[in-house]
Amino acid sequence: MRFPRPRQEEISVNLTPLIDVVFLLLIFFMVSTTFTRQTQLSLTLPEAQGTPPEQAPQAVEILVSSAGEYVINGEKLIDNSDAGLRSALLRLGQDKTEWPMLITADAHASYQAVVTVMDVAGQLGFDKLSLTTREATEEGQ
């Protein structure tokens, strides 16, 4: 006598629920994403023929080299980190936060080095920051 054997179903992975979940995640991320449109301006800066204002006799001057080294009032810093710059400015004294600060950076200095100086100075209370430039020459125009 022959007994019928139960048929074994083929083992497979059903991908339909996985695809549904992926589509739901895709829709969720598309809806929750904010799109920002950054505008770019083409600027032509004005030139001035006047004389630069006279320097205040008392000012804090910071030089930023192309290698990212700092010189404060003629003294080169050993530690060029944020903490080293902060401690050097604190050594000047808190009474000097009223003085204007002149930041002179090399043309090839990194933007981050200049922003670091401005950030540390702002945190310490310096609010009169100036960036120095050179006068444009006929060749550079």
Side-chain angles (χ1 to χ4, degrees):
M1 181 172 212
R2 281 187 135 184
F3 292 111
R5 293 186 178 185
R7 292 190 171 214
Q8 293 181 351
E9 289 186 28
E10 186 178 325
I11 299 174
S12 66
V13 176
N14 191 359
L15 293 178
T16 305
L18 178 67
I19 292 172
D20 287 345
V21 169
V22 168
F23 280 133
L24 285 173
L25 286 173
L26 180 68
I27 291 170
F28 172 75
F29 287 127
M30 286 176 55
V31 169
S32 64
T33 302
T34 57
F35 297 100
T36 59
R37 194 178 295 166
Q38 295 182 357
T39 59
Q40 296 180 356
L41 299 175
S42 176
L43 297 177
T44 304
L45 298 177
E47 294 181 5
Q49 299 297 328
T51 59
E54 291 185 24
Q55 299 282 337
Q58 296 178 338
V60 177
E61 185 173 357
I62 298 181
L63 303 174
V64 182
S65 71
S66 60
E69 299 168 335
Y70 302 117
V71 177
I72 299 178
N73 288 342
E75 295 180 24
K76 185 176 179 181
L77 296 185
I78 297 171
D79 183 14
N80 290 318
S81 66
D82 297 356
L85 182 62
R86 180 183 308 278
S87 65
L89 287 174
L90 282 173
R91 273 185 267 136
L92 289 175
Q94 288 291 39
D95 59 326
K96 301 206 176 38
T97 58
E98 299 298 320
W99 290 5
M101 178 180 283
L102 302 173
I103 302 171
T104 304
D106 187 87
H108 301 290
S110 71
Y111 184 65
Q112 179 62 50
V114 177
V115 169
T116 300
V117 171
M118 295 172 76
D119 184 37
V120 170
Q123 290 174 1
L124 294 177
F126 289 92
D127 57 354
K128 299 174 187 163
L129 301 177
S130 299
L131 295 172
T132 59
T133 59
R134 64 183 172 123
E135 189 174 334
T137 61
E138 295 295 324
E139 300 165 355
Q141 290 183 357

